[in-house]
Amino acid sequence: MTNANTSLARQLQAERAEAREAIYRLAAVVLGYPLAETQQALEEGRLQMALDQAWQTLGGEPWPEFDISESLEQLEVGYMSTFIQGRRGKPRVPLVASAYAGLVDGLTPGAYLLNVQAFYTHFGLTAAVSDEGHKDEPDHLVAMLEFCALLCHLESRALANDRDAAPYRRAQRDFLARYLAPLLQAIRASYAKESHHGLDPNLENLVEMLPAWANAQLLSLETLVGPSPKPGEERAAPANQSMWD
């Protein structure tokens, strides 16, 4: 492959990484607690337009048009009724992975959270404090989406600067396979049983579409850097080698 072709290939890969970053960041905004800015962006169509552009860059269909909550209050009520309130003080559709026994898979919730936190720590992220993000909830969907957005940003920056992007791709692959993709699937399955509490249709579409999209990104990453190791197959890295180098 000529230098020109190599440069073009890296540019296209960087554009795809930027599109993935955009979808992760936008999904984190839309599926985070509703703010006035979120309602305004939905009303003006800015969120939908940004999602549509990134979605189609990655080969998806045009983003559908949906009705929008009539007010911030209506947006909040649907969100609260679906993701925060519920029976016996528990959410109808939890957004934290440790709420799903099938995802913890025999680990204690604390051990599961430490495993998730290890990814964040490896890339220099610290736990949220005060009103920053979701304090002590590294397994919250929004935290996971934001982390994947960061990995995509690091990947695109590496490609733009002719550096090796494989470590960031392997981290994305493993995080998707172990944590984010299973959580998205669990949320969609839970929502299928609790879909009548007034959730905004745009949020509903993300809940329904993201699991398949995340699996598609996982397959794409496995094509680039190989399959994610299965439990028990990981080999310890040398002391001077990082987890995904």
Side-chain angles (χ1 to χ4, degrees), residues 10 13-14 16-18 20 150-160 163-166 168-169 172 221 224:
R10 291 180 69 88
Q13 290 170 6
R16 291 182 64 82
E18 290 169 358
R20 288 200 307 275
L150 170 65
L151 294 177
C152 292
H153 173 72
L154 294 173
E155 177 192 358
S156 64
R157 191 170 66 180
L159 289 165
R163 292 187 286 105
D164 184 14
Y168 309 117
R169 289 169 170 169
Q172 289 176 61
L221 289 163
L224 292 169

Side-chain angles (χ1 to χ4, degrees), residues 195-240:
S195 60
H196 51 282
H197 298 284
L199 188 66
D200 183 276
N202 294 278
L203 277 67
E204 180 179 58
N205 189 58
L206 269 177
V207 168
E208 293 177 348
M209 298 290 289
L210 279 176
W213 178 83
N215 283 331
Q217 305 320 302
L218 175 57
L219 291 174
S220 177
L221 289 163
E222 288 181 336
T223 299
L224 292 169
V225 293
S228 180
K230 295 180 181 179
E233 291 184 350
E234 297 92 337
R235 291 181 297 175
N240 62 348

Side-chain angles (χ1 to χ4, degrees), residues 19-125:
R20 288 200 307 275
E21 177 188 356
I23 290 173
Y24 285 129
R25 290 198 187 282
L26 291 166
V29 169
V30 175
L31 294 173
Y33 189 84
L35 302 175
E37 293 85 349
T38 309
Q39 173 70 12
Q40 183 177 359
L42 285 169
E43 290 175 351
E44 295 174 354
R46 289 185 284 113
L47 269 174
Q48 300 92 314
M49 187 180 301
L51 275 167
D52 177 71
Q53 182 177 353
W55 202 265
Q56 291 198 63
T57 296
L58 295 169
E61 296 293 326
W63 197 255
E65 291 187 14
F66 297 101
D67 292 335
I68 299 163
S69 298
E70 295 180 358
S71 65
L72 176 59
E73 180 181 4
Q74 187 181 67
L75 183 65
E76 286 179 311
V77 168
Y79 186 94
M80 290 282 294
S81 299
T82 302
F83 297 128
I84 296 180
Q85 299 171 343
R87 303 177 186 87
R88 299 179 182 177
K90 295 183 178 180
R92 294 184 175 91
V93 182
L95 293 180
V96 292
S98 54
Y100 297 93
L103 301 187
V104 177
D105 195 25
L107 295 173
T108 65
Y112 181 86
L113 293 176
L114 285 174
N115 289 343
V116 176
Q117 187 65 49
F119 275 82
Y120 302 161
T121 302
H122 183 82
F123 288 92
L125 301 180

